Amino acid sequence: MGHPQPPWVTVLYFARSAELVGLRSESVSVPQRITSLQLWEEIVKIHPRLAVIRDQVVFAVRQEYVLLGDQLLVLQTGDEVAIIPPISGG
């Protein structure tokens, strides 16, 4: 039996993040219990170019805004995690 499978979440990339990644969405396997900052670091491991927007990004997890930090997320397979950079061009 062993451990339950880690959840697969759908990461949605918007605006600048989509340009950096070259994708609009993808499925990523993540730990079920993870802080928002750790989740960001997992995604940056896959797409190192995202590091440049680190300070401006917010997540939307199940359509609720989450700032990067030590807020604990409990993720389920099928959850959507949107990466929302600042909308303005700066």
Side-chain angles (χ1 to χ4, degrees):
M1 312 271 26
H3 294 292
Q5 291 297 308
W8 284 84
V9 300
T10 301
V11 182
L12 306 175
Y13 300 102
F14 290 98
R16 182 100 171 91
S17 66
E19 290 166 25
L20 289 166
V21 172
L23 294 168
R24 297 227 168 258
S25 68
E26 69 184 329
S27 290
V28 177
S29 176
V30 292
Q32 182 176 22
R33 298 178 71 84
I34 190 171
T35 69
S36 53
L37 184 57
Q38 288 169 329
L39 178 59
W40 171 254
E41 287 167 353
E42 291 285 316
I43 294 168
V44 170
K45 268 187 235 168
I46 306 169
H47 300 293
R49 297 175 67 189
L50 286 172
V52 300
I53 59 171
R54 154 79 176 79
D55 293 333
Q56 302 141 359
V57 117
V58 293
F59 282 137
V61 178
R62 296 187 293 266
Q63 292 157 0
E64 292 196 13
Y65 285 107
V66 178
L67 296 174
L68 300 192
D70 55 13
Q71 180 172 345
L72 185 68
L73 307 173
V74 180
L75 300 169
Q76 311 289 340
T77 290
D79 280 353
E80 291 190 339
V81 176
I83 296 182
I84 304 173
I87 302 304
S88 73

